[in-house]
Short mmCIF file of all heavy atoms in Angstrom, two decimals:
data_model
loop_
_atom_site.label_atom_id
_atom_site.label_comp_id
_atom_site.label_asym_id
_atom_site.label_seq_id
_atom_site.Cartn_x
_atom_site.Cartn_y
_atom_site.Cartn_z
N MET A 1 -20.90 -15.91 2.27
CA MET A 1 -20.03 -16.97 2.13
C MET A 1 -19.17 -16.85 0.91
O MET A 1 -18.02 -17.34 0.87
CB MET A 1 -20.73 -18.34 2.08
CG MET A 1 -20.99 -18.91 3.44
SD MET A 1 -19.49 -19.03 4.35
CE MET A 1 -20.08 -19.73 5.83
N GLU A 2 -19.67 -16.16 -0.06
CA GLU A 2 -18.87 -16.02 -1.30
C GLU A 2 -17.65 -15.28 -1.19
O GLU A 2 -16.62 -15.58 -1.81
CB GLU A 2 -19.80 -15.33 -2.36
CG GLU A 2 -19.19 -15.30 -3.75
CD GLU A 2 -20.09 -14.68 -4.74
OE1 GLU A 2 -21.30 -14.93 -4.72
OE2 GLU A 2 -19.62 -13.93 -5.60
N ILE A 3 -17.63 -14.29 -0.34
CA ILE A 3 -16.36 -13.49 -0.10
C ILE A 3 -15.27 -14.33 0.52
O ILE A 3 -14.09 -14.21 0.17
CB ILE A 3 -16.64 -12.25 0.75
CG1 ILE A 3 -15.45 -11.28 0.74
CG2 ILE A 3 -16.95 -12.63 2.14
CD1 ILE A 3 -15.36 -10.56 -0.57
N PHE A 4 -15.63 -15.31 1.39
CA PHE A 4 -14.62 -16.14 1.92
C PHE A 4 -14.05 -17.15 0.89
O PHE A 4 -12.91 -17.49 0.90
CB PHE A 4 -15.21 -16.96 3.12
CG PHE A 4 -15.58 -16.07 4.26
CD1 PHE A 4 -16.87 -15.93 4.65
CD2 PHE A 4 -14.65 -15.27 4.90
CE1 PHE A 4 -17.24 -15.16 5.69
CE2 PHE A 4 -14.96 -14.42 5.97
CZ PHE A 4 -16.27 -14.37 6.36
N ASP A 5 -14.87 -17.61 0.00
CA ASP A 5 -14.44 -18.44 -1.12
C ASP A 5 -13.43 -17.72 -2.04
O ASP A 5 -12.44 -18.31 -2.45
CB ASP A 5 -15.58 -18.98 -1.90
CG ASP A 5 -16.51 -19.89 -1.11
OD1 ASP A 5 -15.99 -20.48 -0.17
OD2 ASP A 5 -17.71 -19.95 -1.45
N ILE A 6 -13.70 -16.46 -2.30
CA ILE A 6 -12.83 -15.68 -3.10
C ILE A 6 -11.47 -15.44 -2.37
O ILE A 6 -10.40 -15.57 -2.99
CB ILE A 6 -13.46 -14.37 -3.48
CG1 ILE A 6 -14.67 -14.60 -4.39
CG2 ILE A 6 -12.51 -13.42 -4.17
CD1 ILE A 6 -15.56 -13.40 -4.65
N ALA A 7 -11.55 -15.18 -1.09
CA ALA A 7 -10.31 -14.94 -0.31
C ALA A 7 -9.49 -16.22 -0.24
O ALA A 7 -8.27 -16.12 -0.32
CB ALA A 7 -10.70 -14.49 1.13
N LEU A 8 -10.12 -17.35 -0.13
CA LEU A 8 -9.35 -18.60 -0.05
C LEU A 8 -8.75 -18.97 -1.45
O LEU A 8 -7.68 -19.53 -1.52
CB LEU A 8 -10.27 -19.74 0.45
CG LEU A 8 -10.58 -19.74 1.90
CD1 LEU A 8 -11.60 -20.89 2.27
CD2 LEU A 8 -9.35 -19.84 2.72
N ALA A 9 -9.43 -18.54 -2.50
CA ALA A 9 -8.96 -18.79 -3.82
C ALA A 9 -7.64 -17.99 -4.10
O ALA A 9 -6.81 -18.41 -4.92
CB ALA A 9 -9.99 -18.47 -4.89
N THR A 10 -7.51 -16.87 -3.43
CA THR A 10 -6.28 -16.08 -3.68
C THR A 10 -5.07 -16.57 -2.86
O THR A 10 -3.98 -16.10 -3.07
CB THR A 10 -6.52 -14.57 -3.33
OG1 THR A 10 -6.85 -14.49 -1.91
CG2 THR A 10 -7.62 -14.00 -4.15
N LEU A 11 -5.36 -17.50 -1.92
CA LEU A 11 -4.29 -17.93 -1.08
C LEU A 11 -3.85 -19.39 -1.44
O LEU A 11 -3.23 -20.04 -0.60
CB LEU A 11 -4.74 -17.90 0.36
CG LEU A 11 -4.97 -16.53 0.92
CD1 LEU A 11 -5.52 -16.59 2.34
CD2 LEU A 11 -3.71 -15.65 0.93
N THR A 12 -4.11 -19.88 -2.62
CA THR A 12 -3.62 -21.14 -3.02
C THR A 12 -2.14 -21.06 -3.29
O THR A 12 -1.61 -19.98 -3.55
CB THR A 12 -4.39 -21.69 -4.26
OG1 THR A 12 -4.16 -20.80 -5.34
CG2 THR A 12 -5.85 -21.77 -3.97
N SER A 13 -1.51 -22.18 -3.35
CA SER A 13 -0.03 -22.21 -3.57
C SER A 13 0.30 -21.76 -5.01
O SER A 13 1.28 -21.07 -5.21
CB SER A 13 0.51 -23.57 -3.38
OG SER A 13 -0.08 -24.52 -4.22
N ARG A 14 -0.59 -22.03 -5.91
CA ARG A 14 -0.33 -21.56 -7.35
C ARG A 14 -0.39 -20.07 -7.48
O ARG A 14 0.54 -19.45 -8.09
CB ARG A 14 -1.38 -22.18 -8.30
CG ARG A 14 -1.17 -21.82 -9.69
CD ARG A 14 -2.09 -22.61 -10.64
NE ARG A 14 -1.81 -22.31 -11.99
CZ ARG A 14 -2.66 -21.80 -12.88
NH1 ARG A 14 -3.94 -21.63 -12.50
NH2 ARG A 14 -2.32 -21.58 -14.05
N THR A 15 -1.38 -19.45 -6.90
CA THR A 15 -1.46 -17.98 -6.98
C THR A 15 -0.41 -17.27 -6.18
O THR A 15 0.13 -16.22 -6.61
CB THR A 15 -2.85 -17.48 -6.54
OG1 THR A 15 -3.13 -17.94 -5.20
CG2 THR A 15 -3.94 -17.97 -7.48
N LEU A 16 0.00 -17.85 -5.04
CA LEU A 16 1.09 -17.28 -4.31
C LEU A 16 2.41 -17.35 -5.09
O LEU A 16 3.19 -16.40 -5.05
CB LEU A 16 1.22 -17.98 -2.94
CG LEU A 16 0.10 -17.60 -1.94
CD1 LEU A 16 0.33 -18.52 -0.69
CD2 LEU A 16 0.14 -16.17 -1.56
N ALA A 17 2.63 -18.44 -5.77
CA ALA A 17 3.84 -18.61 -6.58
C ALA A 17 3.84 -17.64 -7.78
O ALA A 17 4.90 -17.04 -8.10
CB ALA A 17 3.97 -20.05 -7.04
N ILE A 18 2.66 -17.47 -8.39
CA ILE A 18 2.59 -16.52 -9.49
C ILE A 18 2.80 -15.12 -9.06
O ILE A 18 3.48 -14.35 -9.70
CB ILE A 18 1.24 -16.74 -10.20
CG1 ILE A 18 1.24 -18.03 -11.03
CG2 ILE A 18 0.92 -15.53 -11.11
CD1 ILE A 18 -0.10 -18.38 -11.65
N ARG A 19 2.26 -14.73 -7.90
CA ARG A 19 2.46 -13.42 -7.38
C ARG A 19 3.98 -13.20 -6.99
O ARG A 19 4.46 -12.08 -7.18
CB ARG A 19 1.56 -13.13 -6.22
CG ARG A 19 0.15 -12.83 -6.64
CD ARG A 19 -0.71 -12.32 -5.49
NE ARG A 19 -1.03 -13.44 -4.66
CZ ARG A 19 -1.68 -13.35 -3.47
NH1 ARG A 19 -2.05 -12.16 -3.07
NH2 ARG A 19 -1.94 -14.44 -2.77
N ALA A 20 4.55 -14.21 -6.41
CA ALA A 20 5.99 -14.11 -6.03
C ALA A 20 6.85 -13.90 -7.28
O ALA A 20 7.76 -13.07 -7.27
CB ALA A 20 6.42 -15.26 -5.23
N GLY A 21 6.59 -14.65 -8.34
CA GLY A 21 7.29 -14.50 -9.58
C GLY A 21 7.11 -13.14 -10.22
O GLY A 21 8.03 -12.51 -10.75
N GLY A 22 5.85 -12.62 -10.15
CA GLY A 22 5.55 -11.31 -10.65
C GLY A 22 6.22 -10.27 -9.88
O GLY A 22 6.73 -9.23 -10.41
N PHE A 23 6.30 -10.41 -8.54
CA PHE A 23 7.00 -9.41 -7.75
C PHE A 23 8.48 -9.40 -7.98
O PHE A 23 9.09 -8.39 -8.09
CB PHE A 23 6.79 -9.79 -6.25
CG PHE A 23 7.37 -8.84 -5.32
CD1 PHE A 23 6.77 -7.62 -5.03
CD2 PHE A 23 8.55 -9.12 -4.64
CE1 PHE A 23 7.29 -6.73 -4.16
CE2 PHE A 23 9.14 -8.21 -3.80
CZ PHE A 23 8.55 -7.06 -3.53
N LEU A 24 9.11 -10.58 -8.19
CA LEU A 24 10.49 -10.68 -8.50
C LEU A 24 10.83 -10.03 -9.83
O LEU A 24 11.76 -9.27 -9.98
CB LEU A 24 10.97 -12.17 -8.46
CG LEU A 24 12.44 -12.42 -8.70
CD1 LEU A 24 13.26 -11.80 -7.61
CD2 LEU A 24 12.68 -13.86 -8.89
N PHE A 25 10.04 -10.37 -10.88
CA PHE A 25 10.25 -9.78 -12.17
C PHE A 25 10.04 -8.25 -12.14
O PHE A 25 10.77 -7.49 -12.77
CB PHE A 25 9.31 -10.42 -13.18
CG PHE A 25 9.47 -9.80 -14.58
CD1 PHE A 25 10.54 -10.22 -15.36
CD2 PHE A 25 8.60 -8.90 -15.07
CE1 PHE A 25 10.76 -9.68 -16.62
CE2 PHE A 25 8.82 -8.37 -16.39
CZ PHE A 25 9.86 -8.77 -17.12
N GLY A 26 9.03 -7.76 -11.41
CA GLY A 26 8.78 -6.37 -11.26
C GLY A 26 9.87 -5.68 -10.59
O GLY A 26 10.24 -4.50 -11.01
N MET A 27 10.46 -6.25 -9.54
CA MET A 27 11.56 -5.60 -8.84
C MET A 27 12.80 -5.51 -9.72
O MET A 27 13.45 -4.45 -9.76
CB MET A 27 11.94 -6.42 -7.63
CG MET A 27 11.00 -6.27 -6.44
SD MET A 27 11.19 -4.70 -5.66
CE MET A 27 12.76 -4.91 -4.83
N ILE A 28 13.12 -6.54 -10.49
CA ILE A 28 14.22 -6.50 -11.38
C ILE A 28 14.01 -5.50 -12.50
O ILE A 28 14.92 -4.73 -12.82
CB ILE A 28 14.50 -7.92 -11.97
CG1 ILE A 28 15.02 -8.86 -10.81
CG2 ILE A 28 15.53 -7.88 -13.07
CD1 ILE A 28 15.03 -10.27 -11.17
N ALA A 29 12.85 -5.52 -13.08
CA ALA A 29 12.52 -4.55 -14.22
C ALA A 29 12.53 -3.15 -13.67
O ALA A 29 12.97 -2.22 -14.41
CB ALA A 29 11.19 -4.92 -14.86
N GLY A 30 12.04 -2.87 -12.51
CA GLY A 30 11.99 -1.52 -11.93
C GLY A 30 13.38 -1.08 -11.59
O GLY A 30 13.62 0.12 -11.68
N ALA A 31 14.23 -1.92 -11.15
CA ALA A 31 15.55 -1.51 -10.75
C ALA A 31 16.53 -1.25 -11.96
O ALA A 31 17.45 -0.44 -11.84
CB ALA A 31 16.18 -2.57 -9.88
N LEU A 32 16.27 -1.86 -13.09
CA LEU A 32 17.08 -1.68 -14.24
C LEU A 32 16.75 -0.28 -14.84
O LEU A 32 15.57 0.03 -15.08
CB LEU A 32 16.83 -2.72 -15.28
CG LEU A 32 17.31 -4.12 -14.96
CD1 LEU A 32 16.82 -5.14 -16.01
CD2 LEU A 32 18.80 -4.12 -14.84
N PRO A 33 17.82 0.44 -15.19
CA PRO A 33 17.56 1.75 -15.84
C PRO A 33 16.97 1.62 -17.19
O PRO A 33 17.36 0.74 -17.98
CB PRO A 33 18.93 2.42 -15.92
CG PRO A 33 19.76 1.68 -15.04
CD PRO A 33 19.21 0.29 -14.83
N GLY A 34 15.98 2.38 -17.53
CA GLY A 34 15.36 2.28 -18.91
C GLY A 34 14.09 1.47 -18.96
O GLY A 34 13.34 1.57 -19.87
N LEU A 35 13.88 0.64 -17.89
CA LEU A 35 12.65 -0.14 -17.84
C LEU A 35 11.75 0.40 -16.75
O LEU A 35 12.20 0.74 -15.64
CB LEU A 35 12.98 -1.63 -17.53
CG LEU A 35 13.62 -2.40 -18.65
CD1 LEU A 35 13.87 -3.83 -18.17
CD2 LEU A 35 12.69 -2.49 -19.85
N SER A 36 10.52 0.50 -17.04
CA SER A 36 9.59 1.01 -16.07
C SER A 36 8.60 -0.06 -15.67
O SER A 36 8.61 -1.15 -16.24
CB SER A 36 8.77 2.24 -16.62
OG SER A 36 8.05 1.82 -17.77
N SER A 37 7.73 0.27 -14.74
CA SER A 37 6.73 -0.71 -14.32
C SER A 37 5.75 -0.97 -15.50
O SER A 37 5.22 -2.12 -15.64
CB SER A 37 6.04 -0.31 -13.03
OG SER A 37 5.52 1.04 -13.19
N THR A 38 5.41 0.06 -16.19
CA THR A 38 4.48 -0.09 -17.31
C THR A 38 5.11 -1.01 -18.38
O THR A 38 4.42 -1.83 -19.02
CB THR A 38 4.11 1.31 -17.93
OG1 THR A 38 3.72 2.12 -16.86
CG2 THR A 38 3.06 1.18 -18.96
N MET A 39 6.37 -0.82 -18.66
CA MET A 39 7.07 -1.68 -19.63
C MET A 39 7.16 -3.14 -19.14
O MET A 39 6.90 -4.06 -19.91
CB MET A 39 8.47 -1.19 -19.84
CG MET A 39 9.32 -2.06 -20.79
SD MET A 39 8.90 -1.79 -22.49
CE MET A 39 9.55 -0.19 -22.75
N ALA A 40 7.28 -3.39 -17.88
CA ALA A 40 7.29 -4.72 -17.29
C ALA A 40 5.93 -5.38 -17.49
O ALA A 40 5.86 -6.57 -17.79
CB ALA A 40 7.73 -4.69 -15.83
N VAL A 41 4.92 -4.65 -17.24
CA VAL A 41 3.52 -5.20 -17.39
C VAL A 41 3.32 -5.51 -18.87
O VAL A 41 2.76 -6.51 -19.20
CB VAL A 41 2.45 -4.18 -16.87
CG1 VAL A 41 1.06 -4.56 -17.28
CG2 VAL A 41 2.54 -4.06 -15.39
N THR A 42 3.74 -4.67 -19.73
CA THR A 42 3.59 -4.91 -21.19
C THR A 42 4.35 -6.14 -21.61
O THR A 42 3.88 -6.91 -22.47
CB THR A 42 4.06 -3.69 -22.00
OG1 THR A 42 3.41 -2.57 -21.54
CG2 THR A 42 3.81 -3.86 -23.44
N LEU A 43 5.56 -6.35 -21.03
CA LEU A 43 6.31 -7.54 -21.44
C LEU A 43 5.73 -8.86 -21.01
O LEU A 43 5.78 -9.83 -21.74
CB LEU A 43 7.72 -7.41 -20.86
CG LEU A 43 8.63 -6.38 -21.53
CD1 LEU A 43 9.95 -6.29 -20.70
CD2 LEU A 43 8.92 -6.79 -22.95
N LEU A 44 5.06 -8.87 -19.88
CA LEU A 44 4.48 -10.10 -19.40
C LEU A 44 2.95 -10.27 -19.65
O LEU A 44 2.37 -11.21 -19.20
CB LEU A 44 4.77 -10.28 -17.88
CG LEU A 44 6.19 -10.78 -17.58
CD1 LEU A 44 6.25 -11.02 -16.06
CD2 LEU A 44 6.55 -11.97 -18.30
N LEU A 45 2.43 -9.31 -20.35
CA LEU A 45 0.98 -9.36 -20.67
C LEU A 45 0.61 -10.60 -21.46
O LEU A 45 -0.41 -11.27 -21.16
CB LEU A 45 0.55 -8.10 -21.43
CG LEU A 45 -0.93 -7.98 -21.68
CD1 LEU A 45 -1.70 -7.84 -20.38
CD2 LEU A 45 -1.21 -6.75 -22.58
N PRO A 46 1.39 -11.09 -22.48
CA PRO A 46 0.98 -12.28 -23.21
C PRO A 46 0.96 -13.52 -22.33
O PRO A 46 0.21 -14.45 -22.66
CB PRO A 46 2.05 -12.41 -24.27
CG PRO A 46 2.62 -11.02 -24.45
CD PRO A 46 2.48 -10.37 -23.08
N PHE A 47 1.72 -13.60 -21.26
CA PHE A 47 1.69 -14.77 -20.40
C PHE A 47 0.38 -14.92 -19.58
O PHE A 47 0.03 -15.92 -19.17
CB PHE A 47 2.86 -14.77 -19.37
CG PHE A 47 4.19 -14.92 -20.03
CD1 PHE A 47 5.08 -13.82 -20.16
CD2 PHE A 47 4.52 -16.08 -20.62
CE1 PHE A 47 6.28 -13.95 -20.79
CE2 PHE A 47 5.78 -16.28 -21.26
CZ PHE A 47 6.63 -15.19 -21.35
N THR A 48 -0.34 -13.84 -19.51
CA THR A 48 -1.62 -13.81 -18.76
C THR A 48 -2.79 -14.40 -19.57
O THR A 48 -3.86 -14.65 -19.04
CB THR A 48 -2.02 -12.44 -18.22
OG1 THR A 48 -2.24 -11.58 -19.40
CG2 THR A 48 -0.95 -11.86 -17.35
N PHE A 49 -2.53 -14.57 -20.84
CA PHE A 49 -3.59 -15.13 -21.70
C PHE A 49 -3.99 -16.56 -21.32
O PHE A 49 -5.15 -17.02 -21.57
CB PHE A 49 -3.24 -15.03 -23.20
CG PHE A 49 -3.11 -13.66 -23.71
CD1 PHE A 49 -2.37 -13.36 -24.83
CD2 PHE A 49 -3.81 -12.56 -23.12
CE1 PHE A 49 -2.23 -12.04 -25.27
CE2 PHE A 49 -3.68 -11.30 -23.57
CZ PHE A 49 -2.89 -11.05 -24.68
N VAL A 50 -3.05 -17.34 -20.84
CA VAL A 50 -3.34 -18.73 -20.55
C VAL A 50 -3.77 -18.90 -19.05
O VAL A 50 -4.11 -19.99 -18.68
CB VAL A 50 -2.08 -19.59 -20.77
CG1 VAL A 50 -1.72 -19.61 -22.21
CG2 VAL A 50 -0.88 -19.08 -19.93
N LEU A 51 -3.74 -17.80 -18.22
CA LEU A 51 -4.13 -17.87 -16.81
C LEU A 51 -5.61 -17.53 -16.72
O LEU A 51 -6.25 -17.01 -17.59
CB LEU A 51 -3.31 -16.84 -16.06
CG LEU A 51 -1.84 -17.11 -15.96
CD1 LEU A 51 -1.18 -15.93 -15.23
CD2 LEU A 51 -1.46 -18.37 -15.32
N GLU A 52 -6.16 -17.92 -15.55
CA GLU A 52 -7.52 -17.50 -15.22
C GLU A 52 -7.47 -15.99 -15.00
O GLU A 52 -6.52 -15.36 -14.73
CB GLU A 52 -7.95 -18.20 -13.94
CG GLU A 52 -8.00 -19.70 -14.04
CD GLU A 52 -8.26 -20.31 -12.64
OE1 GLU A 52 -8.48 -19.57 -11.69
OE2 GLU A 52 -8.26 -21.56 -12.60
N PRO A 53 -8.66 -15.32 -15.28
CA PRO A 53 -8.68 -13.86 -15.21
C PRO A 53 -8.26 -13.31 -13.86
O PRO A 53 -7.46 -12.30 -13.83
CB PRO A 53 -10.15 -13.49 -15.45
CG PRO A 53 -10.66 -14.66 -16.24
CD PRO A 53 -9.96 -15.88 -15.72
N GLY A 54 -8.66 -13.86 -12.78
CA GLY A 54 -8.23 -13.36 -11.47
C GLY A 54 -6.75 -13.51 -11.17
O GLY A 54 -6.08 -12.62 -10.65
N THR A 55 -6.22 -14.66 -11.63
CA THR A 55 -4.80 -14.95 -11.47
C THR A 55 -3.94 -14.03 -12.27
O THR A 55 -2.91 -13.54 -11.90
CB THR A 55 -4.46 -16.40 -11.77
OG1 THR A 55 -5.39 -17.27 -11.03
CG2 THR A 55 -3.07 -16.74 -11.40
N GLY A 56 -4.43 -13.74 -13.55
CA GLY A 56 -3.73 -12.85 -14.45
C GLY A 56 -3.69 -11.45 -13.90
O GLY A 56 -2.70 -10.78 -14.01
N LEU A 57 -4.72 -11.01 -13.34
CA LEU A 57 -4.82 -9.69 -12.79
C LEU A 57 -3.88 -9.60 -11.52
O LEU A 57 -3.24 -8.58 -11.32
CB LEU A 57 -6.20 -9.32 -12.40
CG LEU A 57 -7.11 -8.92 -13.56
CD1 LEU A 57 -8.56 -8.73 -13.05
CD2 LEU A 57 -6.62 -7.72 -14.23
N MET A 58 -3.84 -10.62 -10.76
CA MET A 58 -2.92 -10.61 -9.58
C MET A 58 -1.49 -10.52 -10.01
O MET A 58 -0.65 -9.88 -9.45
CB MET A 58 -3.14 -11.91 -8.77
CG MET A 58 -4.30 -11.82 -7.83
SD MET A 58 -4.31 -13.20 -6.73
CE MET A 58 -5.36 -14.35 -7.58
N LEU A 59 -1.16 -11.27 -11.13
CA LEU A 59 0.23 -11.21 -11.67
C LEU A 59 0.54 -9.81 -12.13
O LEU A 59 1.62 -9.31 -11.82
CB LEU A 59 0.33 -12.19 -12.80
CG LEU A 59 1.68 -12.15 -13.58
CD1 LEU A 59 2.84 -12.62 -12.67
CD2 LEU A 59 1.55 -13.02 -14.81
N LEU A 60 -0.37 -9.19 -12.84
CA LEU A 60 -0.10 -7.83 -13.40
C LEU A 60 0.00 -6.84 -12.27
O LEU A 60 0.83 -5.89 -12.28
CB LEU A 60 -1.19 -7.44 -14.36
CG LEU A 60 -1.22 -8.24 -15.68
CD1 LEU A 60 -2.37 -7.83 -16.57
CD2 LEU A 60 0.09 -8.18 -16.41
N MET A 61 -0.83 -7.00 -11.23
CA MET A 61 -0.72 -6.04 -10.06
C MET A 61 0.57 -6.22 -9.33
O MET A 61 1.18 -5.23 -8.89
CB MET A 61 -1.90 -6.23 -9.17
CG MET A 61 -3.18 -5.69 -9.64
SD MET A 61 -4.55 -5.72 -8.49
CE MET A 61 -4.80 -7.40 -8.17
N ALA A 62 1.03 -7.42 -9.18
CA ALA A 62 2.27 -7.67 -8.52
C ALA A 62 3.46 -7.12 -9.32
O ALA A 62 4.38 -6.50 -8.77
CB ALA A 62 2.49 -9.18 -8.27
N ILE A 63 3.45 -7.25 -10.63
CA ILE A 63 4.47 -6.72 -11.45
C ILE A 63 4.51 -5.20 -11.35
O ILE A 63 5.55 -4.56 -11.16
CB ILE A 63 4.34 -7.12 -12.91
CG1 ILE A 63 4.52 -8.62 -13.02
CG2 ILE A 63 5.29 -6.40 -13.82
CD1 ILE A 63 4.10 -9.18 -14.39
N TYR A 64 3.36 -4.57 -11.45
CA TYR A 64 3.32 -3.13 -11.44
C TYR A 64 3.70 -2.49 -10.09
O TYR A 64 4.55 -1.58 -10.04
CB TYR A 64 1.91 -2.64 -11.76
CG TYR A 64 1.76 -1.14 -11.85
CD1 TYR A 64 2.26 -0.49 -13.02
CD2 TYR A 64 1.28 -0.37 -10.85
CE1 TYR A 64 2.19 0.89 -13.13
CE2 TYR A 64 1.23 1.05 -10.96
CZ TYR A 64 1.65 1.66 -12.14
OH TYR A 64 1.61 3.04 -12.22
N THR A 65 3.21 -3.08 -9.04
CA THR A 65 3.57 -2.50 -7.68
C THR A 65 5.05 -2.79 -7.36
O THR A 65 5.73 -1.84 -6.80
CB THR A 65 2.70 -3.10 -6.57
OG1 THR A 65 2.76 -4.50 -6.63
CG2 THR A 65 1.26 -2.60 -6.74
N ALA A 66 5.60 -3.90 -7.73
CA ALA A 66 6.99 -4.17 -7.47
C ALA A 66 7.84 -3.33 -8.38
O ALA A 66 8.97 -2.94 -7.98
CB ALA A 66 7.26 -5.63 -7.70
N GLY A 67 7.37 -3.05 -9.59
CA GLY A 67 8.14 -2.21 -10.50
C GLY A 67 8.25 -0.78 -10.03
O GLY A 67 9.28 -0.11 -10.16
N VAL A 68 7.17 -0.27 -9.43
CA VAL A 68 7.14 1.07 -8.90
C VAL A 68 8.19 1.12 -7.72
O VAL A 68 8.98 2.04 -7.57
CB VAL A 68 5.79 1.55 -8.44
CG1 VAL A 68 5.82 2.80 -7.68
CG2 VAL A 68 4.89 1.71 -9.72
N TYR A 69 8.13 0.13 -6.87
CA TYR A 69 9.01 0.07 -5.72
C TYR A 69 10.45 -0.19 -6.19
O TYR A 69 11.36 0.47 -5.64
CB TYR A 69 8.62 -1.05 -4.76
CG TYR A 69 9.54 -1.24 -3.60
CD1 TYR A 69 9.57 -0.27 -2.59
CD2 TYR A 69 10.41 -2.30 -3.53
CE1 TYR A 69 10.36 -0.37 -1.47
CE2 TYR A 69 11.27 -2.41 -2.43
CZ TYR A 69 11.22 -1.46 -1.42
OH TYR A 69 12.11 -1.61 -0.35
N GLY A 70 10.67 -1.02 -7.20
CA GLY A 70 12.07 -1.28 -7.68
C GLY A 70 12.60 -0.04 -8.41
O GLY A 70 13.80 0.13 -8.40
N GLY A 71 11.77 0.84 -8.92
CA GLY A 71 12.25 2.04 -9.51
C GLY A 71 12.88 2.96 -8.54
O GLY A 71 13.75 3.79 -8.92
N SER A 72 12.51 2.88 -7.27
CA SER A 72 13.13 3.74 -6.27
C SER A 72 14.59 3.28 -5.93
O SER A 72 15.36 4.03 -5.44
CB SER A 72 12.27 3.70 -4.99
OG SER A 72 12.32 2.44 -4.39
N ILE A 73 14.90 2.01 -6.27
CA ILE A 73 16.26 1.55 -6.02
C ILE A 73 17.25 2.28 -6.92
O ILE A 73 18.30 2.79 -6.48
CB ILE A 73 16.37 0.04 -6.25
CG1 ILE A 73 15.48 -0.68 -5.19
CG2 ILE A 73 17.77 -0.45 -6.23
CD1 ILE A 73 15.34 -2.19 -5.48
N SER A 74 16.93 2.39 -8.24
CA SER A 74 17.79 3.08 -9.11
C SER A 74 17.80 4.58 -8.88
O SER A 74 18.69 5.34 -9.21
CB SER A 74 17.51 2.70 -10.55
OG SER A 74 16.20 3.11 -10.87
N ALA A 75 16.68 5.16 -8.38
CA ALA A 75 16.53 6.50 -8.14
C ALA A 75 17.35 6.96 -6.92
O ALA A 75 17.92 8.10 -6.90
CB ALA A 75 15.06 6.90 -7.91
N ILE A 76 17.48 6.13 -5.99
CA ILE A 76 18.25 6.41 -4.79
C ILE A 76 19.72 6.32 -5.07
O ILE A 76 20.54 7.05 -4.72
CB ILE A 76 17.86 5.56 -3.57
CG1 ILE A 76 16.45 5.85 -3.19
CG2 ILE A 76 18.79 5.77 -2.40
CD1 ILE A 76 15.85 4.94 -2.17
#
C-alpha cells in the first residue's frame, strides 16, 4: 500500500504546478544560448530548500529534462 500512497502524493495539484513551472523554466533556459540544463538547475537550487525533499527533487528533474529538450531548439 505504501507505493500507492507515494504515487498519489506525486499527483497533487501543488506538485503538478511545481513540475509545470520547472518544465517551463527549463525549456526557456535550455532554448537560450549560453544557458544549459545544468546552469538552470544551479539557478533554481536555492528555491528547493523550502520545499519537501520529494517535491524539490521533482522540480530539479523537471528543470533538467526540459533544459536538455530545450537545448535542441537552439541546436536545430
Side-chain angles (χ1 to χ4, degrees):
M1 274 303 180
E2 185 176 320
I3 191 74
F4 295 117
D5 295 335
I6 294 171
L8 287 176
T10 62
L11 296 175
T12 62
S13 60
R14 181 174 184 236
T15 57
L16 288 174
I18 287 174
R19 282 190 286 177
F23 183 78
L24 181 66
F25 181 77
M27 284 287 289
I28 292 170
L32 290 174
L35 288 178
S36 63
S37 56
T38 309
M39 178 77 71
V41 168
T42 306
L43 288 174
L44 282 187
L45 186 65
F47 293 109
T48 63
F49 294 156
V50 296
L51 298 174
E52 297 172 4
T55 308
L57 286 174
M58 281 190 265
L59 173 66
L60 294 178
M61 285 189 297
I63 293 169
Y64 185 78
T65 54
V68 170
Y69 178 73
S72 67
I73 294 172
S74 60
I76 293 171

